């Protein structure tokens, strides 16, 4: 029995060791730069192409050709990639992904032009003699490949453990500033990491190359299988990553044995690494998948949006032009039908990426599911085409919900990898099965509707074009309406600040599931329409890897929705449809890749509209010009306006007892207890790093308390989620404002109330009732006037000063109808006059509404003026509680907070690793560096 498995195990160990070597290089670059290189396989592809050219076409000895590829070309690629990574240091995750995808497209296109018609194999260059081991024939080439991979991985591991540069590579991600204090340059460390990673990729490509065709896509996909090995290693552990490569190699080899016996498992060997990738991402503890390297905060500048009137007229003009296409297109009518379908597919991805900030690399898988489902229903079940199309869309909803499961626990690059793995797994494992496209190359028939409406025959090319135009136009209007409805505001808020949205009562898990389902529905409809256009559902029309191109187009398009989809459709379908050159698609692929890289390298990626043109468009649209320096004057507060509250402020307020919060072996808060009663402002003060924000995060449910009890109006909420606590009446602001930067002031304040109304109900997240809209409108008006920022209502939040953002945060929490408020350093960014007025606003709001308010504040004058009772925190423990007058007379407080320290305090601070906790508090206008939602504070 064992003898039958040993040959496959030997082959699996060989290929698995190469996967492990490639994956360790990938993990190395990710650990040091924070950028996951989706073009990693392209590095191997370039090396193989150059090796073939030198070895076969120019007759070089293989050792010299290999040395040039690994020792010269590999480091050059590493230097170029390091330069790109440095330029992307402050870029968003989707921009980083798009940049590396652009490199991949350039390599694909260049390789196609280089060896378009060459089907030759890369020659074997290692010795192929064999010997017997345990009854199995083992080749010396297999031994050499395995030994080289193991030795290099061990050397890299030892390098990380014992060599100064390797130790520096481990530290550069956690704290590059601290590393620079040791005299080591973070840039130099990352440069060496990229050099080593590229050399490993080049070497892995050469060891996998023998007997491979000169196909850039196939070679890249082979190295991409190392992604699964990196996932097994948690994207950090080199030994586990190498073991993961062995697991994938051996598993794939054994799968080949069974696939030869069971036809339904034919796709298992190629799909196994991606199944491993998905499982590893889903099963890995979430804490291990937190991206450790934080992206630097960038100044947000919202893109220009034309007035609604202008956009509506322009949209009607575009539809009018598209109505004339059948008259003008002639034999190219099918190209324009395909253009409309591609536009819909791009819209389906834009809903995720542009609206909600989620990343999906499996849109073609959604489209394939829609196409195959429609074909089966229309052909095998003989259902009417409209019913088959509707059911295909409905069946895609649970598929979208399943794909949203990784989105609920993952984000950024890990979500991108999970969706990429899902798409490739579906393609490799399921496309050729009977319940999708079947094993035949011509696929399954996808009939057009055999319906006549007068002279309009829907099965004809002209009739079908108009049908597609009608469907796409209706769905586009639906997407635009969603963008301006409650769901659209929730999705944009989810993109800007998921934590801020949760803190106001919305279950973001439900929101993510809703948007993935909506995206899947749109993509499945596009897939079904494409199948009808071509008369057959064929798997080759839904290559999952093309989803990366879709992402690049959606991200780099410099116009708003839905025009990015229209322009993308023109570039992806119409232009190559009219360009009859045999290399047209290849040239466009290279151009798209170059555009993606160039876009990613721009310092400011917000599209610009010339001021004069914007002014002209505004006049045509009836939009009044606004000054850039000062907000519009606030209108007088209506006399009939009354404070709005959804719940009666009664109860015990917030009570915390025995609260302890630990992070690993560090105790941030120890046995803390406090009480914030109703109809009063209670202060929570202490030195920087004392644990104040940690208490707020534990009270609001953003972090889990290690022990203790948290009660809201006598109800225990210790284990409740953050949205659940918000819906029970607990609202908060953040030390670093968690506003929704892409929304206006009014929309931000409205979400203070809408987030709780939407809650965890998917239907209430999608739409609102008239009564709810009236309630939200009244709450927004009242909050804006109460805080005094009614004149800022239409201003984009991204353009406000820090002080104005503080007021918007206060207005948002006031509009939320909460009865217990946690305000984290709300006066930071305000000058003394504004701070005094701010204190009066807080006092008046509490008096009018009977709220309970817990205030973390460094401005001691503000605390003593508006707070009734104060709790003082030091080193995570409450050291004082009492009135503000008692606090100012307390020697304990003066010792801990106001600068009267002694040797005992010095020793305690030194032991805890805190530098000068008694230092003078930061002025009210200072902007603190620490993020209020980071658990380490």
């Amino acid at each position: 029995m064992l003898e039958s498995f040993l040959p496959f195990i030997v082959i699996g160990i060989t290929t698995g060791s190469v996967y492990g070597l490639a994956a360790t290089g990938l993990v190395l670059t990710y650990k040091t730069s924070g950028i996951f290189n989706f073009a990693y396989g392209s590095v191997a592809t370039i090396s193989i192409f150059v090796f073939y050219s030198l070895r076969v076409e120019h007759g070089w000895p293989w050792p010299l050709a290999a040395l040039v590829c690994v020792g010269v070309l590999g480091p050059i690629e590493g230097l170029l990639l390091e330069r790109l990574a440095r330029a992307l240091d402050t870029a968003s995750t989707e921009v980083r992904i798009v940049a590396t995808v652009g490199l991949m497209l350039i390599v694909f296109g260049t390789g196609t032009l280089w060896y378009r018609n060459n089907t030759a194999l890369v020659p074997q260059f290692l010795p192929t003699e064999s010997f017997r081991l345990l009854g199995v024939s083992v080749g010396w080439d297999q031994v050499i490949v395995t030994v080289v991979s193991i030795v290099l991985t061990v050397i890299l591991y030892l390098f990380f453990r014992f060599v100064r540069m390797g130790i520096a590579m481990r530290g550069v991600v956690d704290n590059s500033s601290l590393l620079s204090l040791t005299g080591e340059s973070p840039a130099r460390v990352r440069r060496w990491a990229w050099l080593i990673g590229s050399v490993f990729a080049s070497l892995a490509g050469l060891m996998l190359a023998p007997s491979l065709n000169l196909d850039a896509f196939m070679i890249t996909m082979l190295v991409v299988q190392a992604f699964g090995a990196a996932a097994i290693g948690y994207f950090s552990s080199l030994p586990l990553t190498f073991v993961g490569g062995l697991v994938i190699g051996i598993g794939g080899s054994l799968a080949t044995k069974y696939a030869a016996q069971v036809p339904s498992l034919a796709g298992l060997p190629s799909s196994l690494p991606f199944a491993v990738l998905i499982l590893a991402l889903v099963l890995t503890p979430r804490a291990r998948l937190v991206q450790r390297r934080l992206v630097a905060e960038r100044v947000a500048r919202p893109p220009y949006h034309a007035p609604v009137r202008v956009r509506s007229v322009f949209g009607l003009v575009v539809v009018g032009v598209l109505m004339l296409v059948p008259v003008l297109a002639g034999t190219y009518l099918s190209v324009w039908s395909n253009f409309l379908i591609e536009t819909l597919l791009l819209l389906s991805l834009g809903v995720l990426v542009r609206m909600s900030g989620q990343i999906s690399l499996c849109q073609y898988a959604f489209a394939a599911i829609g196409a195959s489902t429609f074909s089966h229903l229309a052909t095998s079940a003989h259902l009417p085409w409209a019913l088959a199309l509707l059911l295909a869309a409905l069946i895609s909803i649970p598929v979208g919900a399943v794909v949203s499961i990784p989105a609920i626990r993952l984000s950024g690059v890990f979500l991108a990898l999970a969706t990429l793995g899902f798409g490739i797994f579906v393609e490799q494992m399921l496309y050729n099965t009977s319940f999708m496209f079947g094993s035949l190359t011509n696929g399954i028939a996808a009939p057009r509707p055999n319906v006549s409406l007068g002279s309009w025959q829907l099965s004809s090319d002209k009739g079908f074009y108009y049908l597609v135009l009608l469907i796409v136009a209706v769905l586009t209007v639906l997407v635009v309406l969603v963008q301006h409805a409650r769901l659209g505001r929730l999705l944009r808020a989810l993109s800007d600040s998921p934590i801020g949205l949760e803190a106001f009562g919305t279950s973001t898990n439900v929101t993510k599931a809703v948007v993935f389902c909506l995206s899947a529905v749109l993509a499945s409809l596009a897939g079904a329409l494409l199948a009808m256009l071509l008369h057959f559902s064929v798997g080759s029309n839904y290559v999952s890897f093309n989803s990366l191109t879709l992402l690049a187009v959606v991200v780099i398009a410099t116009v708003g929705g839905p025009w990015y989809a229209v322009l993308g459709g023109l570039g992806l379908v119409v232009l190559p449809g009219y360009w009859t050159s045999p290399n047209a698609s290849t040239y466009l692929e290279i151009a798209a890749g170059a555009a993606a890289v160039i876009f990613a390298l721009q310092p400011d990626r917000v599209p610009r509209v010339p001021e004069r043109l914007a002014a002209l468009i505004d006049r045509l649209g009836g939009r009044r010009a606004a000054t850039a320096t000062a907000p519009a004057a606030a209108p007088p507060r209506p006399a009939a306006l009354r404070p709005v509250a959804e719940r009666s402020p009664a109860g015990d307020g917030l009570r915390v007892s025995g609260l302890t919060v630990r992070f690993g072996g560090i105790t941030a808060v120890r046995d803390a207890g406090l009480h914030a009663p109703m109809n009063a402002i209670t202060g929570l003060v202490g030195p920087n790093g004392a644990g104040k924000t940690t208490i707020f995060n534990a009270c609001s449910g953003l972090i889990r308390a290690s022990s203790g009890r948290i009660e809201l109006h006598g109800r225990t909420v210790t284990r409740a989620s953050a949205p659940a606590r918000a819906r029970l009446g607990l609202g908060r602001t953040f030390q670093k404002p968690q506003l929704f930067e892409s929304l206006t002031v009014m929309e931000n304040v409205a979400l203070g109330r809408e987030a709780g109304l939407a809650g965890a109900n998917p239907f209430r997240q999608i739409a609102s009732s008239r009564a709810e809209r009236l309630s939200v409108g009244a709450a927004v008006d009242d909050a804006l006037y109460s805080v005094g920022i009614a004149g800022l209502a239409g201003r984009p939040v991204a353009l406000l000063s820090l002080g104005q953002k503080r007021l918007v945060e206060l207005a948002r929490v006031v509009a939320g109808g909460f009865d217990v408020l946690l305000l984290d350093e709300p006066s930071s960014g305000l000058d003394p006059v504004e701070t005094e007025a701010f204190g009066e606003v807080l006092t008046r709001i509490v008096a009018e509404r009977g709220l309970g308010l817990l205030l973390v504040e460094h401005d001691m004058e503000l605390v003593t003026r508006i707070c009734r009772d104060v709790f003082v925190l030091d080193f995570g423990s409450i050291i004082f509680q009492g009135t503000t007058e008692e606090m100012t007379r307390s020697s304990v407080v003066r010792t801990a907070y106001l600068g009267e320290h002694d040797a005992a305090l010095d020793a305690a601070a030194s032991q805890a690793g805190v530098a000068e906790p008694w230092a003078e508090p930061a002025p009210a206008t200072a902007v603190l560096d620490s993020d209020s939602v980071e658990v380490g504070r």
Side-chain angles (χ1 to χ4, degrees), residues 711-917:
E711 297 178 351
L712 186 62
H713 304 312
R715 178 174 180 173
T716 300
V717 295
T718 311
R719 299 300 175 188
S721 66
R725 299 186 200 195
R727 293 193 293 270
L728 291 174
L730 182 64
R732 70 164 293 178
T733 65
F734 294 83
Q735 181 198 26
K736 178 181 175 182
Q738 293 293 313
L739 292 172
F740 311 125
E741 299 280 331
S742 64
L743 304 179
T744 64
V745 169
M746 180 176 291
E747 290 172 324
N748 267 270
V749 176
L751 277 172
R753 175 60 62 94
E754 273 195 308
L757 294 175
N761 187 317
F763 299 104
R764 297 188 70 175
Q765 288 195 8
I766 293 173
S768 57
S769 65
R770 184 175 182 274
E772 287 179 342
R773 290 193 293 272
L774 292 175
S775 171
V776 170
V780 169
D781 289 340
D782 179 68
L784 291 174
Y785 282 106
S786 295
V787 179
I789 56 171
L792 295 173
R795 186 68 68 87
V797 164
L799 299 181
L800 301 182
S801 66
L802 177 59
Q804 290 171 326
K805 290 182 179 182
R806 294 290 183 195
L807 296 175
V808 174
E809 262 207 317
L810 178 61
R812 186 175 64 177
V813 80
V814 168
F818 305 106
D819 47 31
V820 174
L821 305 183
L822 311 180
L823 305 187
D824 196 349
E825 298 189 23
S827 74
S828 175
L830 303 179
D831 61 32
V833 175
E834 292 172 328
T835 299
E836 183 176 358
F838 185 80
E840 294 173 357
V841 170
L842 293 183
T843 303
R844 174 167 48 81
I845 289 175
V846 170
E848 287 180 350
R849 302 166 187 252
L851 306 177
L853 196 154
L854 182 62
L855 177 71
V856 165
E857 185 55 63
H858 277 301
D859 189 327
M860 297 305 296
E861 182 181 352
L862 177 64
V863 171
T864 55
R865 180 157 48 88
I866 69 174
C867 292
R868 186 177 71 184
D869 296 308
V870 180
F871 293 83
V872 180
L873 191 70
D874 191 31
F875 295 118
S877 299
I878 299 293
I879 62 172
F880 171 86
Q881 66 181 80
T883 65
T884 55
E885 292 82 3
E886 293 170 339
M887 178 190 68
T888 58
R889 296 193 301 267
S890 171
S891 60
V892 174
V893 174
R894 288 199 304 271
T895 299
Y897 194 81
L898 300 180
E900 298 178 11
H901 60 283
D902 56 16
L905 185 59
D906 286 340
S910 176
Q911 182 177 2
V914 177
E916 297 188 352

Side-chain angles (χ1 to χ4, degrees), residues 241 493 541 560 745:
T241 296
N541 294 326
V745 169

Side-chain angles (χ1 to χ4, degrees), residues 228-447:
I232 292 177
Y234 305 129
F235 300 94
S236 60
S237 170
L238 297 184
L240 281 179
T241 296
F242 189 82
V243 171
L246 292 176
V247 169
I248 289 175
I250 295 173
S253 183
L254 292 175
T256 304
K257 170 181 171 61
Y258 289 103
Q261 302 170 0
V262 183
S264 60
L265 298 179
L268 182 58
S270 57
S271 64
L272 181 64
F274 303 103
V276 171
L277 174 63
I278 298 171
L279 289 175
L281 289 170
V282 171
L283 299 178
T284 298
R286 188 173 184 177
R288 286 185 173 269
L289 296 179
V290 174
Q291 289 180 272
R292 299 161 64 198
R293 197 159 179 271
L294 300 177
V295 175
E297 184 181 6
R298 294 163 292 154
V299 178
R301 179 175 176 181
Y304 172 80
H305 293 286
V308 175
R309 183 194 305 172
V310 174
R311 283 181 281 167
S312 301
V313 171
F314 185 73
L316 291 175
V317 171
V318 171
V319 172
V321 171
L322 292 175
M323 291 285 290
L324 298 176
V325 164
V327 180
L328 305 173
T331 58
Y332 291 97
L333 184 57
S334 61
V335 172
W336 287 95
S337 297
N338 195 9
F339 152 74
L340 293 172
I341 296 170
E342 192 77 7
T343 298
L344 180 58
L345 189 59
L346 287 165
L347 273 178
S348 75
L349 182 59
V351 168
L352 280 170
V353 177
R354 288 197 165 215
M355 223 183 276
S356 69
Q358 306 299 301
I359 299 176
S360 171
L361 295 177
C362 63
Q363 293 305 105
Y364 270 99
F366 287 149
I369 291 171
S372 61
T373 302
F374 170 81
S375 295
H376 282 292
L377 293 175
T379 303
S380 302
H382 305 291
L383 294 180
W385 74 272
L387 180 58
L389 187 63
L390 175 62
L391 290 177
L394 294 177
I395 290 173
S396 70
I397 293 177
V399 177
V402 169
V403 176
S404 73
I405 293 175
I408 289 173
R409 63 188 309 274
L410 302 174
S411 62
V413 67
F414 300 117
L415 176 58
L417 287 170
T419 52
L420 175 66
F422 172 81
I424 297 178
F425 175 81
V426 170
E427 178 183 6
Q428 300 289 342
M429 188 67 189
L430 303 180
Y431 274 20
N432 292 329
T433 59
S434 59
F435 59 85
M436 282 202 72
F437 300 113
S439 57
L440 300 179
T441 56
N442 58 348
I444 309 171

Side-chain angles (χ1 to χ4, degrees), residues 669-685:
V669 176
R670 180 183 294 104
D671 196 28
L674 56 86
H675 180 213
M678 303 302 294
N679 200 29
I681 301 177
T682 304
L684 176 61
V685 301

